[in-house]
Amino acid sequence: MTEAFFAPCPRGLETALADELREIAARPDVAAVAPFAVHRESPGGVSFSGEMAAAYAVNLHSRIASRVLLRVAARGYRHEDDIYELVRAQRWERWFTPEESLRVDITSHKSPLRSLNFTALRIKDAVCDAMRERLGARPSVDTVSPDVRIYAHLTEHDCTIYLDTSGEPLFKRGWRMEKGEAPLKENLAAGILRLAGWARGEGAQAGVVDQPFYDPMCGSGTFLVEAAQVALGLAPGAGRTFAFEWLKGADNQSWRTLKGEARAARERAATAPLAIYGSDISTDMLAMAQANWQRAGLPGDARLKQVDARHVQPPVAEPGVLIMNPPYGERIAVRGERRAAPEPMASDSAEEQAANQFASAFAATLKQNFAGWQAWVFTGDLGLPRRLRLKESRRVPLYNGNIECRLFRFDMVRGGNRGPAPAAG
């Protein structure tokens, strides 16, 4: 039976996700047991359709999706009672039993309803009333660790009801226990890698994955682990479980086939060489990065070095790809620790001056030492090119949660890319 699905993602990565989903659908192991078609990009995600096994494949292989939602029903509405009737009419026993616990989440865009919390409560009541009417029992509610998650999305006139097939968000790959401060979510990091061209070619490790990769402010190693998994062709979801495994009517044979191929790919990659490097000023961060690398089951040890980003050198002679997410709103301590800026700062101009000084020193290092490299910087500091006195060749608007950010690309030429000096603080 063909089902409709929606895969949400971080804002700004919709096209990258659509491209990724098409690549997943074209994989021979997926096409054989879980064929699906990719449809429309919309703000916040991409729709696709196929049998239930398609959801298994996307959960297993997508690096960018936040979760995979099965569309259950949709209709227009004017008030909460319309939504209640829509939800109550669904055959929820097709998917789960009253023994499972339940949670309802709701999002909206221009909905005229006054209280989303009340609407979510009405949806929960509708599910419970429907199951009690048909089965004589109702599910319990668990807002922390539910067995089943139901999502509702409201526009100005329409309501769509979804059943979650993922469980924990897909950025939780199962390997990151050590996070450090303000960690970058794995699916956002994976989307940034794809925008930077770090993608595995069809049938081979082609393209930019053959180049060296370096993160000079690697923190807990998110970019390093994600880049390694892309280069090795490892399924990001191979080390975790999913909500669809507990839904009634699961296609266990298709899931075993997909998971078996993912495990075989991991075994084939166990001794593969990787030109992936990281550095950080903090020994604590480097220890976290090494632990995360090993927990992710990647070959050998992560190639890490303790060094101030203002004094980094290329890890290899061959030019490659440099990607970084510099700490924002923090000071870089001289003795190898990141520490929060003291409160209050002497003045806004003092903070601005410190940021400009660090950016100037780092830009000089890039120009002097990284000629031929492609440098990508993801930051919430929208004025970063001005601070660096570098002219970006590309800028991509992205969001880290609700924070507006930019992904800047700088093509490094020794002594070049100089822009106007930043204004005095």
Side-chain angles (χ1 to χ4, degrees):
M1 178 179 176
T2 299
E3 306 283 3
F5 301 95
F6 183 74
C9 67
R11 284 186 290 170
L13 292 178
E14 293 87 353
T15 298
L17 174 58
D19 291 342
E20 180 194 58
L21 292 180
R22 293 186 185 97
E23 290 177 10
I24 294 171
R27 292 174 58 101
D29 56 326
V30 171
V33 299
F36 66 91
V38 181
H39 300 304
R40 187 169 59 94
E41 297 175 31
S42 57
V46 179
S47 60
F48 65 99
S49 64
E51 296 187 357
M52 274 301 296
Y56 311 166
V58 175
N59 274 296
L60 179 63
H61 288 291
S62 177
R63 305 180 192 280
I64 302 174
S66 300
R67 57 179 67 249
V68 179
L69 302 175
L70 166 66
R71 177 171 163 167
V72 175
R75 63 166 286 180
Y77 74 96
R78 295 183 65 183
H79 44 72
E80 292 89 349
D81 289 345
D82 297 328
I83 297 173
Y84 173 89
E85 294 300 333
L86 172 67
V87 175
R88 185 169 179 173
Q90 306 310 310
R91 307 290 299 197
W92 295 104
E93 66 274 15
R94 175 188 173 195
W95 304 109
F96 58 94
T97 72
E99 283 70 43
E100 270 77 57
S101 58
L102 175 69
R103 169 174 172 160
V104 175
D105 290 282
I106 189 166
T107 59
S108 72
H109 179 66
K110 296 183 179 180
S111 172
L113 299 183
R114 292 184 178 181
S115 172
L116 295 183
N117 288 336
F118 177 71
T119 305
L121 181 63
R122 292 289 283 161
I123 292 171
K124 183 269 296 181
D125 288 343
V127 175
C128 293
D129 291 347
M131 296 195 82
R132 184 189 292 111
E133 179 181 292
R134 296 188 180 105
L135 303 178
R138 50 154 286 177
S140 60
V141 174
D142 185 342
T143 60
V144 177
S145 184
D147 299 313
V148 176
R149 297 171 189 254
I150 293 173
Y151 285 82
H153 180 68
L154 307 180
T155 64
E156 186 174 4
H157 302 291
D158 297 309
C159 170
T160 306
I161 305 296
Y162 297 99
L163 182 65
D164 176 41
T165 71
S166 301
E168 290 289 334
L170 293 183
F171 70 79
K172 294 187 176 182
R173 318 289 204 213
W175 57 260
R176 185 159 73 175
M177 301 296 291
E178 304 289 351
K179 299 181 180 180
E181 298 176 3
L184 189 68
K185 285 185 173 62
E186 291 87 331
N187 64 332
L188 178 55
I192 290 169
L193 290 170
R194 174 170 280 270
L195 291 174
W198 189 265
R200 184 179 170 91
E202 179 66 26
Q205 293 185 33
V208 76
V209 294
D210 290 327
Q211 292 182 300
F213 178 95
Y214 179 43
D215 181 352
M217 294 185 180
C218 69
S220 60
T222 304
F223 275 133
L224 303 182
V225 173
E226 291 295 316
Q229 290 194 337
V230 170
L232 296 172
L234 302 182
R240 54 162 286 171
T241 58
F242 301 97
F244 66 74
E245 297 179 64
W246 290 272
L247 293 178
K248 291 172 65 176
D251 184 352
N252 294 324
Q253 181 56 51
S254 294
W255 176 229
R256 283 194 294 267
T257 300
L258 290 166
K259 190 162 56 174
E261 177 56 35
R263 288 174 175 168
R266 181 173 293 277
E267 292 173 2
R268 292 192 295 268
T271 59
L274 287 170
I276 292 177
Y277 307 85
S279 64
D280 201 277
I281 196 172
S282 168
T283 54
D284 290 341
M285 288 291 187
L286 293 175
M288 290 182 187
Q290 189 66 254
N292 286 332
W293 180 277
Q294 293 171 352
R295 195 175 288 109
L298 296 170
D301 292 329
R303 299 181 180 183
L304 304 173
K305 184 177 181 180
Q306 183 189 13
V307 61
D308 188 317
R310 292 169 291 187
H311 309 300
V312 294
Q313 297 283 338
V316 290
E318 178 189 357
V321 177
L322 180 154
I323 298 182
M324 55 185 268
N325 172 218
Y328 181 62
E330 291 179 286
R331 299 285 295 276
I332 306 299
V334 174
R335 294 188 179 180
E337 297 179 342
R338 289 185 179 145
R339 63 171 179 250
E343 294 290 345
M345 290 291 291
S347 66
D348 290 342
S349 61
E351 185 176 5
E352 183 84 2
Q353 183 178 12
N356 287 336
Q357 289 174 348
F358 182 86
S360 178
F362 180 66
T365 294
L366 287 179
K367 288 184 285 188
Q368 292 168 12
N369 300 335
F370 286 84
W373 284 69
Q374 204 179 87
W376 295 79
V377 183
F378 176 69
T379 179
D381 181 0
L382 306 189
L384 185 68
R386 175 183 61 83
R387 297 187 194 279
L388 294 172
R389 298 181 65 191
L390 297 174
K391 176 62 177 177
E392 73 274 17
S393 59
R394 185 181 177 190
R395 65 167 64 199
V396 182
L398 293 173
Y399 283 82
N400 187 0
N402 291 323
I403 302 173
E404 184 178 3
C405 298
R406 292 290 184 276
L407 176 64
F408 294 107
R409 169 180 161 178
F410 303 99
D411 297 320
M412 303 313 304
V413 179
R414 191 183 302 275
N417 295 320
R418 182 176 296 275

PDB file of all heavy atoms in Angstrom, residues 225-253:
ATOM      1  N   VAL A 225      33.092  13.437  12.400  1.00  0.00           N
ATOM      2  CA  VAL A 225      32.377  12.164  12.340  1.00  0.00           C
ATOM      3  C   VAL A 225      31.440  12.124  11.144  1.00  0.00           C
ATOM      4  O   VAL A 225      31.394  11.131  10.396  1.00  0.00           O
ATOM      5  CB  VAL A 225      31.609  11.920  13.654  1.00  0.00           C
ATOM      6  CG1 VAL A 225      30.722  10.679  13.535  1.00  0.00           C
ATOM      7  CG2 VAL A 225      32.583  11.748  14.815  1.00  0.00           C
ATOM      8  N   GLU A 226      30.693  13.206  10.923  1.00  0.00           N
ATOM      9  CA  GLU A 226      29.778  13.226   9.787  1.00  0.00           C
ATOM     10  C   GLU A 226      30.525  13.132   8.469  1.00  0.00           C
ATOM     11  O   GLU A 226      30.104  12.413   7.548  1.00  0.00           O
ATOM     12  CB  GLU A 226      28.920  14.489   9.830  1.00  0.00           C
ATOM     13  CG  GLU A 226      27.910  14.527  10.971  1.00  0.00           C
ATOM     14  CD  GLU A 226      26.841  13.450  10.855  1.00  0.00           C
ATOM     15  OE1 GLU A 226      26.314  13.236   9.751  1.00  0.00           O
ATOM     16  OE2 GLU A 226      26.534  12.821  11.888  1.00  0.00           O
ATOM     17  N   ALA A 227      31.647  13.834   8.346  1.00  0.00           N
ATOM     18  CA  ALA A 227      32.435  13.773   7.112  1.00  0.00           C
ATOM     19  C   ALA A 227      32.981  12.373   6.874  1.00  0.00           C
ATOM     20  O   ALA A 227      33.000  11.880   5.739  1.00  0.00           O
ATOM     21  CB  ALA A 227      33.577  14.788   7.170  1.00  0.00           C
ATOM     22  N   ALA A 228      33.426  11.712   7.925  1.00  0.00           N
ATOM     23  CA  ALA A 228      33.954  10.352   7.790  1.00  0.00           C
ATOM     24  C   ALA A 228      32.860   9.383   7.364  1.00  0.00           C
ATOM     25  O   ALA A 228      33.074   8.517   6.500  1.00  0.00           O
ATOM     26  CB  ALA A 228      34.580   9.907   9.111  1.00  0.00           C
ATOM     27  N   GLN A 229      31.665   9.517   7.943  1.00  0.00           N
ATOM     28  CA  GLN A 229      30.586   8.612   7.572  1.00  0.00           C
ATOM     29  C   GLN A 229      30.161   8.813   6.126  1.00  0.00           C
ATOM     30  O   GLN A 229      29.837   7.845   5.427  1.00  0.00           O
ATOM     31  CB  GLN A 229      29.397   8.799   8.525  1.00  0.00           C
ATOM     32  CG  GLN A 229      29.673   8.301   9.932  1.00  0.00           C
ATOM     33  CD  GLN A 229      28.417   8.171  10.767  1.00  0.00           C
ATOM     34  OE1 GLN A 229      27.411   8.814  10.502  1.00  0.00           O
ATOM     35  NE2 GLN A 229      28.481   7.332  11.786  1.00  0.00           N
ATOM     36  N   VAL A 230      30.170  10.066   5.650  1.00  0.00           N
ATOM     37  CA  VAL A 230      29.871  10.324   4.238  1.00  0.00           C
ATOM     38  C   VAL A 230      30.931   9.672   3.357  1.00  0.00           C
ATOM     39  O   VAL A 230      30.617   8.968   2.386  1.00  0.00           O
ATOM     40  CB  VAL A 230      29.802  11.835   3.962  1.00  0.00           C
ATOM     41  CG1 VAL A 230      29.737  12.109   2.463  1.00  0.00           C
ATOM     42  CG2 VAL A 230      28.595  12.446   4.649  1.00  0.00           C
ATOM     43  N   ALA A 231      32.202   9.888   3.682  1.00  0.00           N
ATOM     44  CA  ALA A 231      33.284   9.365   2.846  1.00  0.00           C
ATOM     45  C   ALA A 231      33.271   7.843   2.782  1.00  0.00           C
ATOM     46  O   ALA A 231      33.602   7.246   1.753  1.00  0.00           O
ATOM     47  CB  ALA A 231      34.630   9.856   3.380  1.00  0.00           C
ATOM     48  N   LEU A 232      32.873   7.197   3.874  1.00  0.00           N
ATOM     49  CA  LEU A 232      32.858   5.742   3.925  1.00  0.00           C
ATOM     50  C   LEU A 232      31.537   5.140   3.457  1.00  0.00           C
ATOM     51  O   LEU A 232      31.420   3.919   3.326  1.00  0.00           O
ATOM     52  CB  LEU A 232      33.148   5.271   5.356  1.00  0.00           C
ATOM     53  CG  LEU A 232      34.535   5.615   5.903  1.00  0.00           C
ATOM     54  CD1 LEU A 232      34.625   5.271   7.380  1.00  0.00           C
ATOM     55  CD2 LEU A 232      35.618   4.892   5.116  1.00  0.00           C
ATOM     56  N   GLY A 233      30.531   5.991   3.231  1.00  0.00           N
ATOM     57  CA  GLY A 233      29.227   5.490   2.803  1.00  0.00           C
ATOM     58  C   GLY A 233      28.481   4.758   3.892  1.00  0.00           C
ATOM     59  O   GLY A 233      27.728   3.812   3.612  1.00  0.00           O
ATOM     60  N   LEU A 234      28.646   5.169   5.143  1.00  0.00           N
ATOM     61  CA  LEU A 234      28.007   4.499   6.264  1.00  0.00           C
ATOM     62  C   LEU A 234      26.624   5.088   6.521  1.00  0.00           C
ATOM     63  O   LEU A 234      26.450   6.306   6.521  1.00  0.00           O
ATOM     64  CB  LEU A 234      28.861   4.637   7.523  1.00  0.00           C
ATOM     65  CG  LEU A 234      30.292   4.104   7.427  1.00  0.00           C
ATOM     66  CD1 LEU A 234      31.005   4.270   8.760  1.00  0.00           C
ATOM     67  CD2 LEU A 234      30.300   2.640   6.990  1.00  0.00           C
ATOM     68  N   ALA A 235      25.651   4.239   6.775  1.00  0.00           N
ATOM     69  CA  ALA A 235      24.294   4.699   7.077  1.00  0.00           C
ATOM     70  C   ALA A 235      24.278   5.374   8.444  1.00  0.00           C
ATOM     71  O   ALA A 235      24.677   4.766   9.438  1.00  0.00           O
ATOM     72  CB  ALA A 235      23.330   3.525   7.073  1.00  0.00           C
ATOM     73  N   PRO A 236      23.828   6.622   8.535  1.00  0.00           N
ATOM     74  CA  PRO A 236      23.870   7.340   9.814  1.00  0.00           C
ATOM     75  C   PRO A 236      22.973   6.731  10.877  1.00  0.00           C
ATOM     76  O   PRO A 236      23.206   6.916  12.072  1.00  0.00           O
ATOM     77  CB  PRO A 236      23.424   8.756   9.451  1.00  0.00           C
ATOM     78  CG  PRO A 236      22.637   8.590   8.195  1.00  0.00           C
ATOM     79  CD  PRO A 236      23.292   7.461   7.455  1.00  0.00           C
ATOM     80  N   GLY A 237      21.924   5.994  10.468  1.00  0.00           N
ATOM     81  CA  GLY A 237      21.000   5.422  11.435  1.00  0.00           C
ATOM     82  C   GLY A 237      21.275   3.973  11.790  1.00  0.00           C
ATOM     83  O   GLY A 237      20.455   3.332  12.463  1.00  0.00           O
ATOM     84  N   ALA A 238      22.424   3.458  11.376  1.00  0.00           N
ATOM     85  CA  ALA A 238      22.697   2.033  11.578  1.00  0.00           C
ATOM     86  C   ALA A 238      22.903   1.667  13.043  1.00  0.00           C
ATOM     87  O   ALA A 238      22.770   0.503  13.417  1.00  0.00           O
ATOM     88  CB  ALA A 238      23.922   1.613  10.765  1.00  0.00           C
ATOM     89  N   GLY A 239      23.208   2.645  13.900  1.00  0.00           N
ATOM     90  CA  GLY A 239      23.508   2.342  15.289  1.00  0.00           C
ATOM     91  C   GLY A 239      22.398   2.678  16.267  1.00  0.00           C
ATOM     92  O   GLY A 239      22.658   2.781  17.460  1.00  0.00           O
ATOM     93  N   ARG A 240      21.156   2.837  15.782  1.00  0.00           N
ATOM     94  CA  ARG A 240      20.068   3.242  16.676  1.00  0.00           C
ATOM     95  C   ARG A 240      18.789   2.490  16.324  1.00  0.00           C
ATOM     96  O   ARG A 240      18.742   1.740  15.347  1.00  0.00           O
ATOM     97  CB  ARG A 240      19.837   4.750  16.607  1.00  0.00           C
ATOM     98  CG  ARG A 240      19.610   5.280  15.203  1.00  0.00           C
ATOM     99  CD  ARG A 240      18.960   6.640  15.202  1.00  0.00           C
ATOM    100  NE  ARG A 240      17.540   6.566  15.552  1.00  0.00           N
ATOM    101  CZ  ARG A 240      16.777   7.619  15.790  1.00  0.00           C
ATOM    102  NH1 ARG A 240      17.304   8.840  15.720  1.00  0.00           N
ATOM    103  NH2 ARG A 240      15.497   7.499  16.090  1.00  0.00           N
ATOM    104  N   THR A 241      17.755   2.690  17.123  1.00  0.00           N
ATOM    105  CA  THR A 241      16.452   2.094  16.855  1.00  0.00           C
ATOM    106  C   THR A 241      15.469   3.178  16.427  1.00  0.00           C
ATOM    107  O   THR A 241      15.733   4.375  16.583  1.00  0.00           O
ATOM    108  CB  THR A 241      15.907   1.380  18.109  1.00  0.00           C
ATOM    109  OG1 THR A 241      15.809   2.331  19.183  1.00  0.00           O
ATOM    110  CG2 THR A 241      16.829   0.231  18.523  1.00  0.00           C
ATOM    111  N   PHE A 242      14.314   2.743  15.898  1.00  0.00           N
ATOM    112  CA  PHE A 242      13.325   3.675  15.359  1.00  0.00           C
ATOM    113  C   PHE A 242      11.922   3.291  15.824  1.00  0.00           C
ATOM    114  O   PHE A 242      11.642   2.127  16.129  1.00  0.00           O
ATOM    115  CB  PHE A 242      13.365   3.662  13.828  1.00  0.00           C
ATOM    116  CG  PHE A 242      14.695   4.045  13.248  1.00  0.00           C
ATOM    117  CD1 PHE A 242      15.604   3.070  12.862  1.00  0.00           C
ATOM    118  CD2 PHE A 242      15.056   5.370  13.117  1.00  0.00           C
ATOM    119  CE1 PHE A 242      16.840   3.409  12.342  1.00  0.00           C
ATOM    120  CE2 PHE A 242      16.287   5.726  12.598  1.00  0.00           C
ATOM    121  CZ  PHE A 242      17.182   4.744  12.212  1.00  0.00           C
ATOM    122  N   ALA A 243      11.034   4.270  15.823  1.00  0.00           N
ATOM    123  CA  ALA A 243       9.661   4.042  16.270  1.00  0.00           C
ATOM    124  C   ALA A 243       8.931   3.049  15.379  1.00  0.00           C
ATOM    125  O   ALA A 243       8.069   2.298  15.857  1.00  0.00           O
ATOM    126  CB  ALA A 243       8.906   5.377  16.314  1.00  0.00           C
ATOM    127  N   PHE A 244       9.236   3.003  14.085  1.00  0.00           N
ATOM    128  CA  PHE A 244       8.500   2.108  13.189  1.00  0.00           C
ATOM    129  C   PHE A 244       8.699   0.635  13.554  1.00  0.00           C
ATOM    130  O   PHE A 244       7.879  -0.216  13.173  1.00  0.00           O
ATOM    131  CB  PHE A 244       8.875   2.351  11.728  1.00  0.00           C
ATOM    132  CG  PHE A 244      10.300   2.018  11.364  1.00  0.00           C
ATOM    133  CD1 PHE A 244      10.726   0.705  11.231  1.00  0.00           C
ATOM    134  CD2 PHE A 244      11.214   3.028  11.122  1.00  0.00           C
ATOM    135  CE1 PHE A 244      12.032   0.395  10.878  1.00  0.00           C
ATOM    136  CE2 PHE A 244      12.528   2.743  10.771  1.00  0.00           C
ATOM    137  CZ  PHE A 244      12.936   1.414  10.657  1.00  0.00           C
ATOM    138  N   GLU A 245       9.767   0.321  14.276  1.00  0.00           N
ATOM    139  CA  GLU A 245      10.023  -1.069  14.641  1.00  0.00           C
ATOM    140  C   GLU A 245       8.956  -1.602  15.592  1.00  0.00           C
ATOM    141  O   GLU A 245       8.808  -2.824  15.734  1.00  0.00           O
ATOM    142  CB  GLU A 245      11.409  -1.201  15.262  1.00  0.00           C
ATOM    143  CG  GLU A 245      12.550  -0.838  14.304  1.00  0.00           C
ATOM    144  CD  GLU A 245      13.902  -0.959  14.951  1.00  0.00           C
ATOM    145  OE1 GLU A 245      14.283  -2.083  15.334  1.00  0.00           O
ATOM    146  OE2 GLU A 245      14.593   0.093  15.091  1.00  0.00           O
ATOM    147  N   TRP A 246       8.205  -0.709  16.269  1.00  0.00           N
ATOM    148  CA  TRP A 246       7.187  -1.128  17.226  1.00  0.00           C
ATOM    149  C   TRP A 246       5.769  -0.911  16.707  1.00  0.00           C
ATOM    150  O   TRP A 246       4.811  -1.234  17.402  1.00  0.00           O
ATOM    151  CB  TRP A 246       7.376  -0.396  18.556  1.00  0.00           C
ATOM    152  CG  TRP A 246       8.603  -0.870  19.272  1.00  0.00           C
ATOM    153  CD1 TRP A 246       8.692  -1.917  20.142  1.00  0.00           C
ATOM    154  CD2 TRP A 246       9.917  -0.331  19.159  1.00  0.00           C
ATOM    155  NE1 TRP A 246       9.994  -2.066  20.574  1.00  0.00           N
ATOM    156  CE2 TRP A 246      10.766  -1.112  20.001  1.00  0.00           C
ATOM    157  CE3 TRP A 246      10.472   0.717  18.441  1.00  0.00           C
ATOM    158  CZ2 TRP A 246      12.131  -0.859  20.123  1.00  0.00           C
ATOM    159  CZ3 TRP A 246      11.831   0.972  18.555  1.00  0.00           C
ATOM    160  CH2 TRP A 246      12.643   0.186  19.393  1.00  0.00           C
ATOM    161  N   LEU A 247       5.645  -0.364  15.503  1.00  0.00           N
ATOM    162  CA  LEU A 247       4.304  -0.178  14.945  1.00  0.00           C
ATOM    163  C   LEU A 247       3.752  -1.510  14.455  1.00  0.00           C
ATOM    164  O   LEU A 247       4.492  -2.380  13.983  1.00  0.00           O
ATOM    165  CB  LEU A 247       4.339   0.826  13.791  1.00  0.00           C
ATOM    166  CG  LEU A 247       4.671   2.280  14.139  1.00  0.00           C
ATOM    167  CD1 LEU A 247       4.702   3.122  12.876  1.00  0.00           C
ATOM    168  CD2 LEU A 247       3.662   2.840  15.144  1.00  0.00           C
ATOM    169  N   LYS A 248       2.428  -1.667  14.545  1.00  0.00           N
ATOM    170  CA  LYS A 248       1.790  -2.872  14.033  1.00  0.00           C
ATOM    171  C   LYS A 248       1.958  -2.952  12.510  1.00  0.00           C
ATOM    172  O   LYS A 248       1.948  -1.944  11.817  1.00  0.00           O
ATOM    173  CB  LYS A 248       0.296  -2.869  14.389  1.00  0.00           C
ATOM    174  CG  LYS A 248       0.018  -3.031  15.871  1.00  0.00           C
ATOM    175  CD  LYS A 248      -1.449  -2.821  16.183  1.00  0.00           C
ATOM    176  CE  LYS A 248      -2.322  -3.887  15.545  1.00  0.00           C
ATOM    177  NZ  LYS A 248      -3.751  -3.720  15.928  1.00  0.00           N
ATOM    178  N   GLY A 249       2.119  -4.175  12.010  1.00  0.00           N
ATOM    179  CA  GLY A 249       2.222  -4.370  10.569  1.00  0.00           C
ATOM    180  C   GLY A 249       3.564  -4.012   9.979  1.00  0.00           C
ATOM    181  O   GLY A 249       3.679  -3.817   8.762  1.00  0.00           O
ATOM    182  N   ALA A 250       4.599  -3.898  10.818  1.00  0.00           N
ATOM    183  CA  ALA A 250       5.931  -3.562  10.304  1.00  0.00           C
ATOM    184  C   ALA A 250       6.402  -4.636   9.333  1.00  0.00           C
ATOM    185  O   ALA A 250       6.187  -5.838   9.543  1.00  0.00           O
ATOM    186  CB  ALA A 250       6.915  -3.429  11.456  1.00  0.00           C
ATOM    187  N   ASP A 251       7.061  -4.198   8.255  1.00  0.00           N
ATOM    188  CA  ASP A 251       7.622  -5.115   7.253  1.00  0.00           C
ATOM    189  C   ASP A 251       9.010  -5.535   7.726  1.00  0.00           C
ATOM    190  O   ASP A 251      10.024  -4.973   7.322  1.00  0.00           O
ATOM    191  CB  ASP A 251       7.684  -4.402   5.896  1.00  0.00           C
ATOM    192  CG  ASP A 251       8.170  -5.313   4.773  1.00  0.00           C
ATOM    193  OD1 ASP A 251       8.613  -6.451   5.072  1.00  0.00           O
ATOM    194  OD2 ASP A 251       8.147  -4.881   3.612  1.00  0.00           O
ATOM    195  N   ASN A 252       9.029  -6.531   8.589  1.00  0.00           N
ATOM    196  CA  ASN A 252      10.287  -6.914   9.227  1.00  0.00           C
ATOM    197  C   ASN A 252      11.314  -7.444   8.234  1.00  0.00           C
ATOM    198  O   ASN A 252      12.509  -7.230   8.411  1.00  0.00           O
ATOM    199  CB  ASN A 252      10.015  -7.959  10.315  1.00  0.00           C
ATOM    200  CG  ASN A 252       9.207  -7.388  11.464  1.00  0.00           C
ATOM    201  OD1 ASN A 252       9.378  -6.228  11.827  1.00  0.00           O
ATOM    202  ND2 ASN A 252       8.308  -8.182  12.019  1.00  0.00           N
ATOM    203  N   GLN A 253      10.860  -8.127   7.191  1.00  0.00           N
ATOM    204  CA  GLN A 253      11.801  -8.679   6.226  1.00  0.00           C
ATOM    205  C   GLN A 253      12.542  -7.560   5.479  1.00  0.00           C
ATOM    206  O   GLN A 253      13.764  -7.607   5.304  1.00  0.00           O
ATOM    207  CB  GLN A 253      11.085  -9.582   5.228  1.00  0.00           C
ATOM    208  CG  GLN A 253      12.010 -10.222   4.192  1.00  0.00           C
ATOM    209  CD  GLN A 253      13.130 -11.018   4.827  1.00  0.00           C
ATOM    210  OE1 GLN A 253      12.889 -11.866   5.697  1.00  0.00           O
ATOM    211  NE2 GLN A 253      14.368 -10.758   4.432  1.00  0.00           N
TER     212      GLN A 253
END
